[in-house]
Amino acid sequence: MKKKIKLAIVDDHLLFRHGMVQILSQIDDFEVVLEASNGQEFLEKLSEKEVDLILLDIQMPEMDGIQVTEYLRKQDEEEPKIIILSMHNEDQYILHLLEIGANGYLLKDTEPDEVELAIRKVNGQGIYFTDFVSRVMLRKATLKKLPRSGKFFNYKKDLSERELEVLTLICQGQTTAEIADKVCLSPRTVEGHRTRIMEKLSVKNTASLVAFAVKNQLIMI
């Protein structure tokens, strides 16, 4: 039997939350194991449940989605994965949430099929960007190269040319296997590069790595 993806839905709007539960519960390998109306309630319940992925609102009483994301990522763990599901479409919200550790960002008018796709992508690959979020990130990206070198502009961090190449492919949404094939390295070596890049940039997951790279103009996407 295929392992179910265990989901939590954290939103202070009861009708929206229950609607999401109904939609996601109809998918065979999804299981909603936790509901909460705010971040504090969620964290209290989390200790009693095994959760793979959270669908998390931003604005909530007691403890909001930004505070929940910051708290979870300060625990030095990448799990559970986080998809922000919000009405806010402002660039600063999107970039900030991704930078502090959210794995994806969806607007609340997103079609159910894309919500399902986002959950599967984040659960399997650790990251999902909609076309809208990608455009937000592109607006912040600036093409900068050092004169006559072909090397990407380096923002305060000592990344090698190979690491910048791998970083660029990560930001383009390439999987480890696809990157390995393109740069003629083993998947294990690519994962080693990914780990070292994240350590150098002090980020905790792939989504925050991409957000940091775009915000600080480290890559061309």
Side-chain angles (χ1 to χ4, degrees):
M1 182 180 293
K2 189 174 182 181
K3 183 182 177 182
K4 292 197 174 187
I5 302 172
K6 299 182 184 300
L7 304 172
I9 301 176
V10 186
D11 195 295
D12 62 326
H13 291 94
L14 183 63
L15 287 177
F16 179 82
R17 192 170 75 244
H18 283 185
M20 289 300 303
V21 171
Q22 286 188 329
I23 291 170
L24 297 175
S25 296
Q26 294 175 13
I27 301 170
D28 289 342
D29 58 333
F30 287 4
E31 181 181 5
V32 179
V33 297
L34 193 160
E35 288 184 61
S37 61
N38 61 68
Q40 188 63 48
E41 180 188 355
F42 165 71
L43 292 177
E44 290 171 359
K45 291 181 175 180
L46 183 61
S47 61
E48 304 170 1
K49 298 287 184 178
E50 178 185 343
V51 175
D52 298 313
L53 188 149
I54 314 160
L55 293 171
L56 181 64
D57 191 17
I58 293 181
Q59 287 192 327
M60 297 178 291
E62 304 295 335
M63 188 176 189
D64 64 29
I66 295 173
Q67 292 170 311
V68 171
T69 302
E70 289 175 334
Y71 175 84
L72 290 174
R73 294 308 179 237
K74 284 178 182 176
Q75 309 310 302
D76 292 325
E77 295 180 5
E78 288 194 25
E79 302 295 341
K81 296 180 174 69
I82 300 169
I83 295 177
I84 300 298
L85 194 54
S86 174
M87 290 300 296
H88 291 285
N89 60 3
E90 294 91 345
D91 291 9
Q92 65 268 24
Y93 273 110
I94 295 169
L95 291 170
H96 181 63
L97 264 300
L98 294 175
E99 191 170 34
I100 65 175
N103 303 85
Y105 195 110
L106 299 175
L107 298 178
K108 284 190 174 179
D109 60 0
T110 300
E111 292 290 336
D113 286 350
E114 185 160 24
V115 175
E116 179 184 352
L117 175 63
I119 291 170
R120 294 191 187 282
K121 288 280 190 179
V122 167
N123 186 67
Q125 300 176 14
I127 188 170
Y128 180 75
F129 295 147
T130 63
D131 290 342
F132 173 77
V133 171
S134 295
R135 287 194 296 272
V136 169
M137 297 177 72
L138 281 168
R139 284 198 291 271
K140 297 296 181 182
T142 301
L143 232 168
K144 289 191 176 183
K145 291 188 177 182
L146 294 176
R148 301 180 182 177
S149 70
K151 294 181 180 179
F152 292 104
F153 179 74
N154 192 338
Y155 180 77
K156 296 183 180 178
K157 300 292 179 179
D158 184 21
L159 296 181
S160 69
E161 189 168 355
R162 175 65 85 183
E163 287 168 341
L164 283 166
E165 183 180 16
V166 170
L167 175 59
T168 299
L169 293 170
I170 290 171
C171 292
Q172 290 173 353
Q174 302 291 312
T175 65
T176 296
E178 290 168 340
I179 295 171
D181 184 59
K182 286 190 176 183
V183 299
C184 299
L185 295 172
S186 70
R188 184 174 180 179
T189 301
V190 170
E191 280 302 310
H193 281 304
R194 185 196 299 265
T195 299
R196 284 191 293 276
I197 294 166
M198 290 171 65
E199 288 174 351
K200 287 183 177 182
L201 301 181
S202 299
V203 297
K204 294 185 177 181
N205 61 24
T206 302
S208 55
L209 173 62
V210 174
F212 183 96
V214 171
K215 182 177 179 180
N216 294 291
Q217 304 174 345
L218 292 176
I219 51 92
M220 175 182 68
I221 59 175

